[in-house]
Each structure stands twice: as C-alpha cells, then as structure tokens.
Amino acid sequence: MSKISPGSVGAVSPQTMHFSEPLEFRSGARLDAYDLVYETYGTLNAAHSNAVLVCHALNAAHHVAGWYADEPDNIGWWDNMIGPGKPLDTNRFFVIGVNNLGGCFGSTGPKSINPKTGQPYGSDFPVVTVEDWVEAQARLADRLGIARFAAVMGGSLGAMQALQWPLSYPERVGHALVIACAPRLSAQNIAFNEVARQAIVTDPDFHGGHYYRHGVVPRRGLRLARMIGHITYLSDDVMAEKFGRELRDGHIKFGYDVDFQIESYLRHQGDKFSDYFDANTYLLITRALDYFDPAADHGDSLAKALARARASFLVVSFTTDWRFSPARSREIVRALLDNRADVSYAEIDAPHGHDEFLLEDARYHALVRAYYERVASSIGAGT
Amino acid sequence: MSSLRADFALIESWIAPGSRVLDLGCGDGTLLSRLKRERGVSGYGVDIADTNVLAALTNGINVIQSDLEAGLNTFTDRSFDTVILSHTLQAMRNTKRIMEEMVRVGLEGVVSFPNFGYVKNRDQVAAGRMPVSEEMPYQWHDTPNVHLCTMADFDRFCSDLGITVIDRRAFTDDREILSGDPNLLGALAVYRFRKR
C-alpha cells in the first residue's frame, strides 16, 4: 500500500448492474438481459450534476482509477488523470468507468453464458457498435440517477464514445473531451484491424469463436493481434529511442528467435495480453472501431452529423500519433467549427505516439485540468 | 505593455455587437475576452504556443491550436465577420498567404503592426542603426520580426492583393495620430480591410 501515490482515489470496488430490459443493437440483434460492471469515484452531488463518464478504449475496462484492496498493484488505467486533486478531480466530480458490452472484464460479452444455450455466447454475441455502447451507458446513467453528464471523456476508441454521446443524447452531456480520436477509421486503420482479426480467426484454436467449449484459447492469434496493434500505438521515434537496433544478447544469431530488443518487447506484450484478454472481445471491439462513422448517415458530411450536438468540446491530439494523427482530430474540429460549436483544440507536441493519451504529460494534463475548471464552473462547482 | 495594446479600443469600436470574431495569434485571449465582455462577440482564438493555448483556455476562450503559417484550412470561407491579426503580421513568413486567408475566412480583416516608417525608426536608420523601440523591442539578430514594413508599403501590398482598406489609423504612445502623416508620426499601424 505504501507504493500508492498521493492523489489516488484509493481502494475501489467494481459493482454490477443487471438490466432486464432488452437492448436492441444497431445490427438489429438484441440482448434480453445483460450486466454492466462499473466503478465510481467521488460523490454524486445533491443536484446530480457533477457526473463524468470515462469511456475506455480497446483493451481497458471499468477499472479507471485507484486499486483493489486484494490487488494493490492493479492500478486503474487512467489513474494519473483521475483522483483527488488530479486533472479530473474526484473531490469535485463523480466519475464513472464502465466495462462496455461485449467486454471481457465482467460486463456481458462473448464469454458470458447465453441463457438460450447454457453455453458461452462466443461468436454468437452480437457485433456491438459505439452507438450501442452509448445506449448501454445511458441506461446505466438512468439507473444511477444521472440525467445529464457534466462531461464525457475518452481517448482513442473511448474518444469515439465521447464524440457519439452528444450525437445520441444532445441534452444529456455538457462537455465532451475527445482525445486522440478519429471521426472514422482510414483504410489503413481498418487494414491493421483486419490483420489482427485474421490472426485470431485463423488460429486453429479459434474453433469458429466457440473455443471455450474446447477448453482452449486462440493464444497465438491474440498474441499476433496485440503485437501488430502495439506497433500502431507507438511512434517510430519512441521505438527508435527505446529499442533502436539494440540486440538482446549483444550479437546476431543468424536465426529466427529473438535477436532484437524490439522483438522481445513485442513478444512480451503479446504474451501478457493473450493471458488476460478474450479473443472474441478483441474481434468485436476492432469491428466497433471499423464501423464508427457518424458522417455516413449524413452524406459523408461530418459537419452535418455533428449539427445535433449541444455540448462544448475539448479536442486533443498528439503530434507523433500516426494511428489517429492530428489531421484526423482537425477533421472533427473543423466540423464543430462549421457548426459554431464551443470547441477548443490542442495539438500536443509529444513523442510517444497514440499511447501518449495515457501518459502523464505535463502540458496535456494542464490543459485537461484547465478544461475541467470550465466544466466545474458550468455546473456551479468552481473554486 | 499598455501602448502595445493601444489598438484594442479601436478594434473594439470596429466590431459590431454580437458578431463572430476570429483572433489569430490570440495569446492569452486578452483581446477576445474583452470583445466577449464589451461586444458580446462569439468566436475563437488561434495560437501555436502551448503556453498561450493553456492561458486562453484558462481565461475562458475557445482556442484552436494551429500554425498560422500553414494557413487557416480548419476554417470555412466567410465563416467570421471579422478576422483579427494583432501584433503578429511582422513575425510571419507567409505574409501574403495569411492576408488572403483572412479575407477568405472573414468578411473583414483587422491587422496591427509596428510601423517601420515611424520617424524614430527612420532616425535610428539614418543614424546608421537598426531601430529598437517599444513596438519593436528586439536587436536585429534576435528578433521574431521577419517582415517589417511601413504604412506606405502595406497600402501597396493590400492594393496588389486586391484588398480594399476600409480604415487605417496610427498610434504613438497610446495616442492616436489625428493630424499629419501617420506613416511618419505613428509607431503602431492598425488597418481594417476587406476583399475588393
């Protein structure tokens, strides 16, 4: 416990909310009942006006901040951002993290039991979209008595949810913090996702997505998927700086085992990931990324798609992010400007690529902190 | 510092209440805050420096971090009533481009810059030295100013670009030059213009 930094929300516990009202998905599929696992930090004020929803990206979940009493090393994925006195200050705001539907950390997903078959859903779990996640999050908000979020915030795929919220529920969100986002994937983005999916579905242990009943997991595929994903999260520069052409054992070995440190690193990341992540969830989440395209229903005009938003926006990008480059964020900014929306945009010159949104960069955190001052004054919770 | 901002009151008088303003090189947002307060304008500041973006955000300004040298391609044609470029033009490399962008994005443009034709600058040049003044407080080897000009130069520049000058004023030590030749007597020039 002594290693826990000051400013942590401390020991937290996940909670589960059961929903028995059917949820219809964008695909037309439906779930008759489902669970959402979530965590909250801070206190909901009497007016229920200080709630902030934090949306997760590909491999994270509801454990956003703090740690678990029985697992003090299991620290929330955005703990540097959220806590007492942190940029998103839990002394002022009531923060919610939720594992999205289709996830593999407790919310109903492919490895949950399908009540119709008594077996895990596997690949029968509906393909979920960002819009569906927002719908499920809104139902959780209803249950928690939150009519309107002071802010919805996320990075990467989480930012897509933060962008979708003011479109799905214009009156239910005051501010959207959209960090390291893209308004839709490029062909290159989809290509990387497809390679990851192919790695999984061609793994002999995949069994058409029903590997649970065979007592195996498509580890090799998941491992490759993570390795390729990881390459896209880092900048060329940071990879060069961190690993360069450094050799693990000091000399090349004229073989195909690990020679270079970068190989060792990627293998390690892949191994770690395949130990805890569900392959079907990976497939489903990459598809949610592929399908996110709010402009599609508006003649490919993002400006028209965002016209219904009533929220104020903070958009942040990172100069070395080539997965969702600053140009992609500027597309969002331009569409918001065309709608005369309240928007601020920061382009942080930082070395780490897409992953930067998770790191503790002083300029980035100062901006988010300043923006939350604005959010706080908008709900009368200013200093 | 106050004389550096002598143009703010004038710019304010040129801005119609409730209009839409884009403030290029907005710094900490002082001018836009003032225009919001006094004129009820809406709009955005643009700046490239991290510290300015943070300061403007803290001051309640909607700020867009962007490099003016790259143009204003995040902004749509004629989407603002007035586009302001205060105390920045002389430090820009792509001078022509930013002027064209200002009249593309805004119905009107406002520019202020130190007038190189000011008599005290001419005196220093006549004495054989590069001018250093309150408006241009830099040594020649250590200045962000790369495109200094006189009011006469700027008049011709506007004409060459097909830009109509609606109004032009000059200030020295916070006071407007109301008689005599502004290009000789004014340390700071302020122009209001639109596309011809």
Side-chain angles (χ1 to χ4, degrees):
Chain A
M1 272 209 239
S2 56
K3 72 171 78 164
I4 302 303
S5 63
S8 167
V9 296
V12 298
S13 311
Q15 302 171 71
T16 301
M17 189 79 81
H18 180 73
F19 296 82
S20 46
E21 310 78 25
L23 182 66
E24 183 145 338
F25 289 68
R26 207 180 115 194
S27 65
R30 66 183 238 167
L31 274 185
D32 289 331
Y34 53 94
D35 290 335
L36 289 177
V37 173
Y38 65 101
E39 290 180 9
T40 70
Y41 325 107
T43 308
L44 188 61
N45 64 12
H48 290 201
S49 64
N50 68 334
V52 174
L53 177 68
V54 175
C55 305
H56 69 78
L58 207 159
N59 63 317
H62 53 280
H63 185 35
V64 179
W67 40 280
Y68 295 139
D70 55 351
E71 283 179 89
D73 290 335
N74 188 350
I75 295 170
W77 58 270
W78 222 350
D79 191 74
N80 61 27
M81 182 67 86
I82 296 152
K86 289 184 178 174
L88 173 46
D89 187 347
T90 50
N91 289 330
R92 283 172 163 181
F93 293 103
F94 178 65
V95 179
I96 302 170
V98 53
N99 185 207
N100 282 324
L101 271 183
C104 52
F105 297 103
S107 291
T108 301
K111 69 177 185 182
S112 309
I113 299 298
N114 181 349
K116 285 181 185 138
T117 64
Q119 296 285 323
Y121 283 98
S123 52
D124 297 333
F125 196 85
V127 171
V128 180
T129 63
V130 169
E131 291 91 326
D132 299 326
W133 283 334
V134 167
E135 191 57 38
Q137 290 160 358
R139 290 188 179 189
L140 178 65
D142 292 342
R143 288 284 193 86
L144 296 174
I146 296 156
R148 176 182 165 90
F149 283 109
V152 178
M153 177 187 198
S156 190
L157 175 58
M160 290 175 172
Q161 295 157 60
L163 183 58
Q164 181 61 40
W165 253 97
L167 310 184
S168 293
Y169 290 102
E171 309 304 328
R172 294 192 70 172
V173 49
H175 295 262
L177 290 86
V178 176
I179 300 166
C181 192
R184 60 176 168 202
L185 294 201
S186 67
Q188 188 193 48
N189 294 144
I190 295 171
F192 278 114
N193 282 348
E194 173 59 5
V195 174
R197 282 190 295 268
Q198 282 296 309
I200 291 170
V201 302
T202 59
D203 186 318
D205 285 335
F206 183 62
H207 296 288
H210 293 293
Y211 44 85
Y212 315 97
R213 48 178 92 142
H214 297 267
V216 293
V217 290
R219 276 184 64 94
R220 284 162 290 184
L222 199 51
R223 183 167 173 269
L224 283 175
R226 180 59 169 174
M227 286 167 81
I228 191 142
H230 217 88
I231 296 169
T232 70
Y233 304 148
L234 299 180
S235 69
D236 190 22
D237 285 351
V238 83
M239 239 190 225
E241 189 200 330
K242 233 170 142 173
F243 307 103
R245 293 180 54 84
E246 194 185 328
L247 297 164
R248 192 178 63 176
D249 300 321
H251 55 91
I252 56 172
K253 289 174 290 190
F254 299 97
Y256 302 107
D257 207 346
V258 168
D259 273 348
F260 296 95
Q261 285 291 14
I262 182 65
E263 297 172 311
S264 170
Y265 173 78
L266 285 178
R267 289 182 189 201
H268 173 69
Q269 291 295 334
D271 287 339
K272 215 169 61 173
F273 189 69
S274 62
D275 279 344
Y276 73 84
F277 208 83
D278 181 65
N280 281 317
T281 292
Y282 200 90
L283 295 177
L284 179 152
I285 292 184
T286 57
R287 254 319 186 216
L289 275 159
D290 293 354
Y291 287 168
F292 182 68
D293 185 4
D297 290 338
H298 296 84
D300 272 345
S301 163
L302 187 62
K304 282 184 188 153
L306 299 188
R308 57 189 289 114
R310 295 290 168 270
S312 299
F313 290 82
L314 176 67
V315 179
V316 179
S317 71
F318 302 100
T319 51
T320 53
D321 183 351
W322 58 276
R323 181 185 171 92
F324 293 161
S325 72
R328 309 307 312 277
S329 282
R330 283 197 297 267
E331 290 175 38
I332 298 169
V333 171
R334 186 184 175 121
L336 290 167
L337 289 170
D338 284 347
N339 283 298
R340 305 185 169 190
D342 271 328
V343 53
S344 286
Y345 171 61
E347 203 166 291
I348 311 277
D349 187 9
H352 294 97
H354 190 60
D355 257 358
E356 191 81 34
F357 86 87
L358 294 167
L359 304 178
E360 198 170 345
D361 178 289
R363 288 159 301 173
Y364 163 44
H365 275 205
L367 276 165
V368 173
R369 182 182 294 276
Y371 196 77
Y372 273 110
E373 286 292 334
R374 195 181 288 194
V375 178
S377 22
S378 76
I379 57 164
T383 38
Chain B
M1 198 63 195
S2 65
S3 71
L4 283 175
R5 293 296 177 244
D7 53 331
F8 281 11
L10 174 66
I11 293 173
E12 186 186 313
S13 75
W14 284 345
I15 303 291
S19 62
R20 290 184 39 84
V21 173
L22 185 64
D23 183 8
L24 305 176
C26 66
D28 64 4
T30 303
L31 175 60
L32 207 48
S33 293
R34 174 174 174 159
L35 295 175
K36 276 175 75 174
R37 193 174 61 241
E38 303 296 332
R39 281 286 189 266
V41 306
S42 60
Y44 309 87
V46 178
D47 212 292
I48 188 166
D50 292 337
T51 48
N52 287 336
V53 170
L54 177 60
L57 195 70
T58 304
N59 290 331
I61 297 298
N62 285 324
V63 59
I64 308 295
Q65 188 161 30
S66 186
D67 181 5
L68 298 179
E69 300 285 9
L72 301 175
N73 53 19
T74 315
F75 298 93
T76 301
D77 294 2
R78 301 168 69 85
S79 51
F80 292 90
D81 296 305
T82 306
V83 181
I84 301 169
L85 184 68
S86 168
H87 296 273
T88 305
L89 186 78
Q90 75 281 358
M92 291 201 56
R93 294 193 175 273
N94 296 311
T95 319
K96 180 165 170 267
R97 176 154 185 209
I98 194 66
M99 288 291 289
E100 288 168 345
E101 284 286 80
M102 286 177 75
V103 293
R104 174 183 69 79
V105 165
L107 304 181
E108 284 188 9
V110 170
V111 154
S112 66
F113 58 88
N115 175 29
F116 204 83
Y118 177 46
V119 61
K120 285 189 179 172
N121 296 336
R122 298 191 196 194
D123 286 349
Q124 289 182 65
V125 173
R129 301 289 301 274
M130 283 296 284
V132 176
S133 66
E134 192 168 6
E135 279 74 22
M136 301 187 294
Y138 306 102
Q139 293 295 329
W140 65 272
H141 54 84
D142 186 28
T143 175
N145 298 334
V146 291
H147 283 143
L148 290 161
C149 69
T150 70
M151 290 179 77
D153 292 328
F154 195 74
D155 290 339
R156 173 167 294 183
F157 183 56
C158 288
S159 169
D160 290 348
L161 291 176
I163 285 171
T164 301
V165 174
I166 305 167
D167 204 345
R168 67 200 271 275
R169 311 282 184 96
F171 295 82
T172 300
D173 297 333
D174 269 343
R175 298 174 68 124
E176 188 173 345
I177 306 302
L178 297 168
S179 60
D181 178 6
N183 190 35
L184 188 64
L185 303 177
L188 178 75
V190 192
Y191 278 71
R192 179 184 185 186
F193 54 87
R194 61 178 150 76
K195 206 166 185 168
R196 192 178 296 149

